[in-house]
Amino acid sequence: MKLLRVGPKDAELPAVLDDEGRLRDLSGVMGGADLDGRFLADDGLDRVRAALESGDLPVLDAEGLRIGAPVARPGKVVCIGLNFRDHAEETGAAIPAEPVVFMKDSSTVVGPFDEVLVPRKSEKTDWEVELAVVIGKTARYLESREDALGVVAGYAISNDVSEREFQLERGGQWDKGKSCETFNPLGPWLVTADEVADPQSLGMRLWVNGEVRQNGGSKDMIFDVAEVIRYLSWFMVLEPGDVINTGTPAGVALGLPDHPYLREGDVMELEIDGLGRQRQTVGQA
């Protein structure tokens, strides 16, 4: 299934795409609940699947509807840095022996077509196309890869927007360069895990102003999705609705010779095989 949230910011309605690409309203099925951690923990996906199979869900007119993030305000956004060998090499970083973990404020999560704002006093705002994993079950101290994949609700596209000066030149942790407002467009859909046969076989691409900047694939991750989830579960409890950004391939502005960082008016477009497409115009905070 492809789940999404549509409508004005902070007033989105839950919806699902049917097999014909029609948008169907989930409001009646969910009884006022949102697509969030509580919904996922309460067997929400099974309820939606049954309702979709019944054919009784009302069709929504998608014309002009804003698409929000497919998960309402995640409890936490956990990120894996330097998880592609080519990206680590382009930034001059050592290949990590264990996953590099940092957090991103959940308030950064916005819709896949919402404006991305360059922070005030920023000169080095950068892009990163990433495969996002949405957790569907509580996970702690997972022992196996099978157990790890068993807690996945689904997958989405994430743009892990980053301010490199704040991240790397201002001391302290990376979070400062990762948690600025609008720095995590997510969606357009939450694609349920049963529709992604192999999360390690997905092409990942990003364009800036029509020019291809990133063109890689999840097969090139140093630590794959199963290992990332298993590893994280030994350091923190993963809860339904949490989002994990699993890393980006080469081609970010930081690693390019002319460092073409984002400026107001730039346009980013992102896609991952089977997960849809995003487009953001860059504004100024």
Side-chain angles (χ1 to χ4, degrees):
M1 295 186 296
K2 294 180 176 67
L3 303 174
L4 64 165
R5 298 167 64 249
V6 296
K9 187 178 186 305
D10 299 325
E12 294 92 346
L13 296 174
V16 62
L17 284 178
D18 66 18
D19 291 340
E20 284 74 44
R22 292 172 297 190
L23 193 63
R24 292 189 175 267
D25 186 1
L26 290 177
S27 300
V29 174
M30 298 179 62
D34 207 342
L35 292 173
D36 56 14
R38 180 176 296 182
F39 159 80
L40 294 172
D42 193 29
D43 298 322
L45 294 181
D46 290 338
R47 299 202 311 273
V48 170
R49 187 172 287 109
L52 186 60
E53 290 173 355
S54 75
D56 295 331
L57 293 173
V59 175
L60 286 170
D61 182 2
E63 184 68 28
L65 273 182
R66 170 186 172 270
I67 299 177
V71 180
R73 191 64 178 265
K76 55 184 174 285
V77 179
V78 189
C79 304
I80 306 299
L82 305 173
N83 198 26
F84 285 69
R85 186 176 298 273
D86 57 359
H87 173 56
E89 290 173 348
E90 74 173 346
T91 63
I95 304 300
E98 295 191 33
V100 175
V101 180
F102 63 93
M103 307 294 286
K104 191 161 191 166
D105 193 288
S106 61
S107 67
T108 60
V109 175
V110 296
F113 305 101
D114 289 346
E115 185 179 44
V116 167
L117 299 177
V118 172
R120 297 177 188 180
K121 299 185 179 181
S122 166
E123 295 293 336
K124 298 182 179 181
T125 296
D126 206 345
W127 57 81
E128 294 189 15
V129 60
E130 304 207 7
L131 173 64
V133 179
V134 179
I135 299 298
K137 300 176 182 177
T138 300
R140 56 194 301 274
Y141 299 114
L142 298 174
E143 294 284 356
S144 71
R145 298 172 56 83
E146 292 74 20
D147 288 344
L149 291 177
V151 305
V152 176
Y155 301 92
I157 304 171
S158 179
N159 188 355
D160 178 19
V161 185
S162 309
E163 212 298 341
R164 301 303 188 185
E165 179 188 0
F166 299 176
Q167 176 189 355
L168 302 172
E169 301 173 31
R170 299 287 295 274
Q173 299 180 336
W174 286 9
D175 302 36
K176 290 189 296 188
K178 297 286 189 171
S179 292
C180 303
E181 60 181 332
T182 72
F183 265 27
N184 205 130
L186 187 69
W189 314 311
L190 169 62
V191 180
T192 50
D194 60 297
E195 289 201 9
V196 181
D198 180 6
Q200 304 309 142
S201 64
L202 305 176
M204 306 166 64
R205 293 164 289 277
L206 181 145
W207 296 258
V208 179
N209 300 328
E211 181 176 355
V212 177
R213 291 300 192 180
Q214 293 183 274
N215 187 6
S218 58
K219 65 181 175 57
D220 296 322
M221 288 181 185
I222 297 169
F223 307 102
D224 66 11
V225 167
E227 175 58 16
V228 163
I229 297 170
R230 188 206 65 79
Y231 181 89
L232 288 175
S233 77
W234 285 76
F235 294 94
M236 65 187 75
V237 177
L238 299 174
E239 298 179 325
D242 287 349
V243 172
I244 302 171
N245 289 339
T246 56
T248 198
V252 300
L254 175 65
L256 295 172
D258 53 345
H259 303 308
Y261 292 111
L262 294 168
R263 297 290 182 261
E264 184 175 12
D266 287 343
V267 175
M268 294 179 284
E269 297 173 275
L270 303 76
E271 68 178 18
I272 295 180
D273 293 347
L275 303 186
R277 191 175 178 97
Q278 297 186 355
R279 184 182 190 274
Q280 299 106 34
T281 299
V282 177
Q284 180 65 51

